[in-house]
Amino acid sequence: GHALGEGVGTVRTFHVPVAGGPSTGKSTFLAAVMVGLEDAAASGTFSTAVQSSSRDGYDRLLDGFRRGVLPTKTVDLQAPALVAEVRGKDKSALLYAYDVAGEAYGDERELRRDPGYGLAEGVVLLIDPFALERVHNELADELAATPQLGVSPEPPQRVLERLIGVLDEKGIDLSRVPAAICITKCDALDIGAAID
């Protein structure tokens, strides 16, 4: 139900859901990744071009990110993908990064409705360490004193279970899907040192 990106049918496509419960930082992560891609492209190794179907949302996201303003909460349970073409010396590819509202990961029925999971060729799973029960219990007082952290109410284990279930139902061969795990909020409450 969304406009196709330029280059569809002429270059390779990669569909990558950015998964995580509510308030894990998916939009912030996606903004940081796109800034990283742009910075790497500035070295001349490759180039990136955000497709016109994603340009407005991308510009808003990056403008705020560069000014230190956190992205607004994603409310669409089936948000369109951010589409960017990454061009190397000899090859190009379209990257479709899906930033679905974290609330969708609390209900498998919502995840099943999103067609992007049936196309997943990789997954990035974001984990809010403060949503882990043991960590949450150990740091309860500190977390209560810092509500701006926005701890995810969804345990990452449940998000992963639902994601695996939906990918499997969509016929995705899980043994062939690369996964990256990103632990967010590592700069808060010295959790990064504890994780190390």
Side-chain angles (χ1 to χ4, degrees), residues 6-99:
E6 298 96 32
V8 169
T10 62
V11 298
R12 177 87 165 83
T13 60
F14 291 95
H15 297 264
V16 181
V18 178
S23 301
T24 53
K26 294 179 297 300
S27 297
T28 301
F29 171 81
L30 192 53
V33 166
M34 295 310 292
V35 166
L37 274 176
E38 281 191 347
D39 290 349
S43 71
T45 308
F46 60 88
S47 64
T48 60
V50 175
Q51 304 292 284
S52 59
S53 59
S54 300
R55 177 54 62 187
D56 288 345
Y58 173 80
D59 287 343
R60 272 193 311 276
L61 183 67
L62 260 65
D63 179 55
F65 187 79
R66 287 189 170 115
R67 290 184 291 116
V69 177
L70 291 177
T72 57
K73 182 163 182 49
T74 304
V75 293
D76 291 336
L77 294 179
Q78 290 185 300
L82 187 144
V83 184
E85 184 174 0
V86 180
R87 295 183 203 107
K89 190 164 62 168
D90 299 323
K91 295 182 181 179
S92 292
L94 287 177
L95 170 66
Y96 285 74
Y98 296 88
D99 177 17

Side-chain angles (χ1 to χ4, degrees), residues 118-130:
L119 303 169
E121 297 176 79
V123 173
V124 177
L125 176 64
L126 271 59
I127 295 176
D128 177 350
F130 303 109

Side-chain angles (χ1 to χ4, degrees), residues 89-161:
K89 190 164 62 168
D90 299 323
K91 295 182 181 179
S92 292
L94 287 177
L95 170 66
Y96 285 74
Y98 296 88
D99 177 17
V100 177
E103 286 74 13
Y105 291 95
D107 183 351
E108 276 186 40
R109 290 171 299 188
E110 288 297 336
L111 287 182
R112 284 187 196 109
R113 290 180 46 211
D114 194 315
Y117 295 101
L119 303 169
E121 297 176 79
V123 173
V124 177
L125 176 64
L126 271 59
I127 295 176
D128 177 350
F130 303 109
L132 296 165
E133 185 177 1
R134 189 179 114 214
V135 174
H136 194 275
N137 291 341
E138 286 177 8
L139 299 174
D141 293 340
E142 292 93 331
L143 291 172
T146 52
Q148 65 272 23
L149 273 178
V151 175
S152 178
E154 196 68 42
Q157 302 93 317
R158 300 294 166 264
V159 171
L160 180 59
E161 289 168 0

